[in-house]
Amino acid sequence: VQLQASGGGLVQAGGSLRLSCAASGRTFSNYIMGWFRQAPGKEREFVAAIYRRGGSTYYTDSVKGRFTISRDNAKNTVYLQMNSLKPEDTAVYYCAADRNLIWSSISTAGEYDYWGQGTQVTVSS
């Protein structure tokens, strides 16, 4: 599956952005989808994930209540709505996909087989 992330940009603290990740090539609904981010000098970290038909979602603690992951299987797209953005949310955001991921491993970057190219999110203070 090929992934194309978009929607990043520059926003002031407290603002909002919605990231999109369009998938092509395989049956999108068969894949667990995740969002990760990587700030300069830091390791890639898990942000959120959503199960195949969207029934289950999971977030890292630092974004709970501010970010929402969702998917539209008819459009082969996963979204990350980011509200109340903080300067520490600044990073390159990546979408990822895996068909055979065990739910307990959804926060592990190395478990995902497919990655998008990343989109930059910059939050100014």
Side-chain angles (χ1 to χ4, degrees):
V1 63
Q2 292 80 44
L3 304 175
Q4 181 74 35
S6 63
L10 173 64
V11 64
Q12 289 187 335
S16 298
L17 283 173
R18 188 176 81 155
L19 306 184
S20 299
C21 177
S24 62
R26 298 293 176 94
T27 304
F28 179 69
S29 61
N30 287 341
Y31 290 83
I32 292 174
M33 301 299 298
W35 284 99
F36 289 77
R37 64 188 180 187
Q38 188 166 18
K42 295 187 177 181
E43 294 186 354
R44 191 168 299 189
E45 66 169 349
F46 171 77
V47 177
I50 188 166
Y51 204 61
R52 295 178 179 87
R53 285 171 171 76
S56 296
T57 57
Y58 184 66
Y59 300 90
T60 191
D61 286 346
S62 62
V63 308
K64 285 180 180 177
R66 301 189 298 123
F67 291 11
T68 302
I69 188 171
S70 61
R71 67 190 296 163
D72 186 337
N73 286 343
K75 295 182 178 180
N76 289 358
T77 302
V78 63
Y79 305 97
L80 185 68
Q81 178 66 45
M82 305 185 295
N83 298 329
S84 301
L85 282 161
K86 304 175 181 180
E88 52 263 43
D89 294 318
T90 295
V92 177
Y93 282 71
Y94 299 89
C95 58
D98 197 273
R99 182 171 180 173
N100 300 310
L101 198 59
I102 299 172
W103 189 245
S104 60
S105 299
I106 57 168
S107 62
T108 305
E111 296 292 329
Y112 288 78
D113 284 343
Y114 303 99
W115 290 84
Q117 85 288 0
T119 185
Q120 176 71 48
V121 172
T122 304
V123 184
S124 63
S125 58

